[in-house]
Amino acid sequence: MSNGRRLGWRRARLTLTALLLATIASACATRSGDEVTPAAGQPEPQRGAAAGPAGALSAYVERVRRAHAARAVVARKWGLRQAPLLAPPPPAPADKPKITFRKGFEVGDATLPPVFTTVPTKERIVFLTIDDGAEKDPELLRMMTELDIPYSAFLSDYVVKDDYGYFKKMRDGGTALHNHTLNHRYMPALSYAEQKQEICGQQDIIEKRYGKRPALFRPPYGNYNADTLRAARACGVKAVPLWAAEAFPDHMEWREWDRDLHPGDIILTHFRGKQEWNGSMADMIRHVMNVVTTKGYAVARLEDYV
């Protein structure tokens, strides 16, 4: 979100607060049936229609009600128990949280791209990420667009290259495409040069095909060593998000001991179909969104915070 749009949002909230206070004050000062005398030089209030701050507030409330009703209809269409919660406005670029290594995930060099599983925030938001690109389900694109759920894709070329166009549609819909290596190999078993080829090669392909060099990289299986992070830095990677939970069509798997979500958690899932899962991509989204929403969280855009 641009600074202009952010300032506009904040001004709108301040204006609505002022309108609400004005309406409350008016209600407190006027009993039902009382006539209101306008101040000198002010026009008479319209008869039979809301006017002034109360009218503006009523119109805003009606717009919100209609928008929520529309979201509820779409949620029912896709089989969700309730409409996804809306994420708050993202921070300004200068206010993004500082991303550091998760404790125990360091490799002895704090200058390397940090490895983390949770974004430091107090907002009740989580982030949805989808790995590899093997399943190219058009229903997923329609579902995520209609529900307006943000997500990030981490792509491996060996399963993407048979249909680059599918992920172009994804990018055109606003989804950021990131690096998951060329061939999804176990990185710690490779030399530095081999790891660099896996990462830089995928950077080159994503830039060529989709116009932007990724800033984020996820190593296959979540496994890495110091050479992995040095190679990632050499290829232009800024950060290495792993995950705090993993979503499937019929269950969740948890990294944390309490088996729960926390503000800023990153959720992992994969591009998979019925041949490998007990369900489709849409089934997986239904399940994870029901869990996320029931727990009182909204899905936010990872790139707005990292």
Side-chain angles (χ1 to χ4, degrees):
M1 181 182 290
S2 68
N3 288 336
R5 290 181 63 191
R6 194 183 322 282
L7 289 172
W9 176 271
R10 290 172 179 167
R11 291 193 193 102
R13 287 192 298 180
L14 290 172
T15 300
L16 290 169
T17 301
L19 291 173
L20 180 59
L21 291 174
T23 304
I24 293 171
S26 175
C28 292
T30 307
R31 296 187 305 276
S32 177
D34 287 350
E35 292 294 329
V36 178
T37 302
Q42 297 297 312
E44 290 284 341
Q46 297 177 0
R47 300 296 180 181
L57 180 60
S58 296
Y60 169 75
V61 170
E62 178 62 16
R63 286 196 300 272
V64 171
R65 186 194 67 78
R66 290 182 179 179
H68 181 75
R71 287 174 59 80
V73 169
V74 175
R76 286 195 297 271
K77 170 187 173 180
W78 287 104
L80 273 62
R81 296 187 194 127
Q82 61 187 98
L85 300 177
L86 291 173
D95 297 331
K96 284 186 178 184
K98 182 180 180 181
I99 306 296
T100 59
F101 277 92
R102 175 173 171 152
K103 186 176 181 181
F105 287 53
E106 308 93 337
V107 294
D109 185 350
T111 69
L112 292 173
V115 181
F116 59 103
T117 61
T118 299
V119 173
T121 179
K122 294 181 180 179
E123 303 280 6
R124 289 186 69 81
I125 56 174
V126 293
F127 305 97
L128 182 61
T129 63
I130 311 180
D131 276 11
D132 66 46
E135 180 73 11
K136 301 163 185 72
D137 186 351
E139 185 179 45
L140 174 71
L141 300 182
R142 295 193 300 271
M143 184 180 195
M144 301 303 268
T145 298
E146 293 183 16
L147 289 168
D148 194 22
I149 298 172
Y151 62 105
S152 304
F154 288 78
L155 305 182
S156 289
D157 190 61
Y158 83 109
V159 288
V160 169
K161 62 186 178 182
D162 64 337
D163 190 356
Y164 287 122
Y166 177 83
F167 300 96
K168 183 178 185 298
K169 294 176 183 176
M170 190 175 290
R171 181 211 63 186
D172 292 346
T175 297
L177 307 180
H178 296 294
N179 191 324
H180 198 44
T181 73
L182 285 172
N183 299 294
H184 206 272
R185 299 176 68 186
Y186 179 73
M187 300 298 276
L190 306 180
S191 67
Y192 171 80
E194 290 171 325
Q195 294 196 56
K196 187 176 179 183
Q197 174 57 29
E198 282 287 323
I199 301 170
C200 285
Q202 183 65 352
Q203 293 285 86
D204 294 342
I205 287 175
I206 292 177
E207 182 177 29
K208 176 183 177 180
R209 292 285 178 176
Y210 305 113
K212 187 174 181 180
R213 203 165 181 83
L216 304 181
F217 160 70
R218 176 175 285 157
Y221 317 107
N223 295 121
Y224 62 94
N225 58 19
D227 277 348
T228 313
L229 302 186
R230 281 195 286 268
R233 180 174 62 184
C235 299
V237 169
K238 304 301 181 184
V240 181
L242 296 187
W243 60 92
E246 185 170 358
F248 297 86
D250 55 357
H251 72 284
M252 298 284 291
E253 293 185 0
W254 309 93
R255 184 186 294 271
E256 308 301 337
W257 65 271
D258 59 357
R259 300 176 58 80
D260 203 357
L261 290 176
H262 313 86
D265 275 357
I266 299 170
I267 299 173
L268 162 70
T269 190
H270 290 83
F271 290 95
R272 293 289 184 271
K274 293 181 179 179
Q275 297 83 358
E276 297 162 275
W277 269 352
N278 184 29
S280 66
M281 293 291 292
D283 293 329
M284 179 276 297
I285 294 296
R286 271 188 283 275
H287 180 73
V288 70
M289 290 309 302
N290 284 335
V291 170
V292 167
T293 307
T294 297
K295 290 179 178 291
Y297 286 87
V299 176
R301 187 173 180 271
L302 180 62
E303 294 76 21
D304 288 336
Y305 288 79
V306 178

